[in-house]
């Protein structure tokens, strides 16, 4: 008699989602966590670590405000990271916007001239340099105005928005970094403006976050698996994208970095929304991403309070935490992204997953 084995399930929660606006000063980081744990095991862990919990659900933000909860939160996450499959992803949204600027307002200019701008992660190196040194080299607030104009041009896609973007580029000290800003400031490159105007291009970070989570979940899952997440408004965008990923049946694989690739069709077969109050496992995903976002804010000096970020980060194994932040160790970046298919990934995802859902 065959035994019915329940399909593996990853519970997901997100934090820091601001839609197309990646310059929101109050939410510098965006991310998500996925953990493969049953509601039964999750309920047991919550009761073990928070036996006196009176609230209807475990919420990281509420718990971390009290110093007396910090050690319990760290111990809970130690148990999760030691005994359950999980991945947490964090991105610096300002850096991601600069990376998108490089992808759409710079790269097409070089592509038209037969240069592979993505080879060995050159786009990441330029975006890192712009993020770290841009305000000094190009002038501030001119650089901030440029990023806002780019974000607005991607959103509106009107001739007026494109003109404002070129004007903003010319208002910077672009001659200090002509390799990056020359295409817009010197040439108003039509190939770049056309790329920005493409309906399949936006600055919503949800796809980037999910791409990274899924690349890891696909490795962690033993076979077909499913995803559950909360019913929050922000997660509706994630839900839609997850469903698109599931529905995509084309046989294709891309190498993104030395350690990450993504292959379709996915092993992921189903995504469902649940009430977090009724799902202890989703509550634990909230704890994981809440702590990670808080640590990122603390480590960059944007906020203070909550868990000791060093103590938290020491709990993670290398393959349990993914981050997208600027790095000016250009040689390390070159090695990490050598031989990757960045250009193909961007084109493929823009064509298949961005923009309005096809009927």
């Amino acid at each position: 008699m065959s035994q019915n084995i329940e399909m593996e399930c990853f519970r997901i929660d997100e934090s820091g989602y601001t839609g197309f606006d990646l310059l929101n000063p109050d939410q510098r980081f965006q991310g998500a966590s996925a953990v493969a744990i049953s509601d039964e095991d999750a309920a047991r862990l919550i009761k073990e670590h928070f036996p006196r919990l009176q609230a209807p659900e475990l919420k990281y933000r509420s718990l971390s405000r009290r110093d007396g909860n910090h050690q319990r939160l760290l111990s809970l996450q130690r148990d999760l990271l030691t005994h359950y499959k999980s991945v947490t992803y964090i991105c610096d949204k300002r850096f991601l916007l600069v990376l998108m600027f490089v992808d759409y307002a710079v790269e097409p200019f070089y592509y038209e001239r037969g240069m592979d701008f993505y080879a060995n992660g050159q786009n990441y190196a330029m975006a890192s340099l712009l993020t770290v040194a841009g305000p000094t080299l190009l002038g501030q607030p001119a650089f901030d105005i440029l990023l806002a104009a780019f974000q607005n041009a991607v959103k509106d896609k009107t001739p007026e928005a494109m003109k404002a973007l070129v004007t903003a580029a010319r208002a910077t000290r672009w001659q200090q970094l002509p390799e990056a800003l020359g295409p817009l400031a010197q040439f108003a490159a039509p190939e770049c403006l056309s790329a920005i105007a493409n309906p399949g291009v936006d600055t919503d970070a949800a796809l980037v976050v999910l791409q990274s989570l899924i690349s890891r979940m696909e490795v962690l899952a033993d076979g077909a698996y499913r995803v559950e997440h909360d019913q929050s408004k922000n997660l509706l965008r994630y839900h839609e994208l997850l469903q698109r990923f599931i529905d995509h049946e084309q046989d294709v694989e891309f190498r993104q970095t030395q350690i990450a690739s993504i292959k379709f069709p996915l092993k992921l077969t189903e995504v469902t929304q649940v009430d977090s109050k009724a799902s202890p496992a989703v509550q634990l995903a909230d704890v994981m991403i809440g702590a990670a976002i808080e640590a990122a804010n603390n480590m960059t000096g944007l906020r203070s309070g909550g868990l000791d970020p060093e103590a938290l980060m020491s709990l993670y194994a290398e393959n349990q935490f993914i981050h997208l932040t600027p790095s000016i160790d250009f040689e390390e970046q070159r090695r990490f992204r050598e031989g990757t298919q960045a250009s193909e990934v961007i084109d493929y995802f823009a064509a298949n997953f961005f923009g309005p859902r096809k009927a």
Side-chain angles (χ1 to χ4, degrees), residues 189-303:
E191 55 270 30
C192 294
L193 298 177
S194 176
I196 294 166
N198 186 320
V201 171
D202 68 26
T203 55
D204 191 314
L207 182 74
V208 177
V209 173
L210 279 180
Q211 213 179 310
S212 295
L213 272 195
I214 285 175
S215 68
R216 188 76 199 126
M217 286 192 295
E218 290 284 306
V219 173
L220 292 171
D222 296 324
Y225 67 99
R226 62 190 184 90
V227 159
E228 281 187 2
H229 63 80
D230 187 23
Q231 295 168 329
S232 72
K233 184 180 175 183
N234 286 353
L235 278 161
L236 290 177
R237 174 61 172 159
Y238 285 83
H239 185 88
E240 179 194 355
L241 286 168
L242 280 164
Q243 194 60 58
R244 289 196 199 191
F245 281 136
I246 291 166
D247 293 342
H248 194 69
E249 296 180 349
Q250 191 166 335
D251 194 355
V252 63
E253 183 173 6
F254 296 107
R255 183 169 180 260
Q256 295 164 290
T257 67
Q258 276 187 341
I259 60 172
S261 63
I262 191 161
K263 180 181 181 180
F264 290 97
L266 299 175
K267 291 189 279 186
L268 175 61
T269 61
E270 180 187 338
V271 55
T272 54
Q273 295 170 281
V274 296
D275 182 348
S276 60
K277 289 185 178 66
S279 176
V282 167
Q283 294 171 34
L284 292 186
D286 168 86
V287 167
M288 293 183 75
I289 188 56
I293 292 281
E294 183 181 78
N297 280 311
N298 284 340
M299 292 173 88
T300 50
L302 295 171
R303 304 248 174 95

Side-chain angles (χ1 to χ4, degrees), residues 28-98:
R28 176 67 176 266
F29 295 95
Q30 182 171 336
S33 289
V35 56
I37 186 172
S38 69
D39 278 323
E40 293 74 21
D41 279 359
R44 176 182 55 78
L45 282 177
I46 291 171
K47 190 168 184 179
E48 184 179 314
H49 292 280
F50 292 93
R52 297 179 185 175
L53 184 71
Q54 298 295 316
E57 65 178 314
L58 197 72
K59 278 287 185 186
Y60 179 78
R61 188 175 294 182
S62 301
L63 292 170
S64 70
R65 289 180 183 142
R66 297 184 58 182
D67 291 348
N69 288 328
H70 291 180
Q71 195 54 52
R72 292 181 183 277
L73 284 165
L74 285 171
S75 297
L76 172 60
Q77 291 188 85
R78 181 180 295 108
D79 274 354
L80 283 171
L81 292 166
T82 303
H83 302 296
Y84 298 92
K85 300 175 183 178
S86 73
V87 58
T88 292
Y89 174 88
I90 293 285
C91 74
D92 178 332
K93 288 191 281 188
R94 184 181 173 88
F95 174 58
L96 178 58
L97 184 65
V98 175

Side-chain angles (χ1 to χ4, degrees), residues 177-197:
L177 206 57
E179 299 87 352
L181 268 66
L184 280 186
Q186 189 171 5
F187 302 106
E191 55 270 30
C192 294
L193 298 177
S194 176
I196 294 166

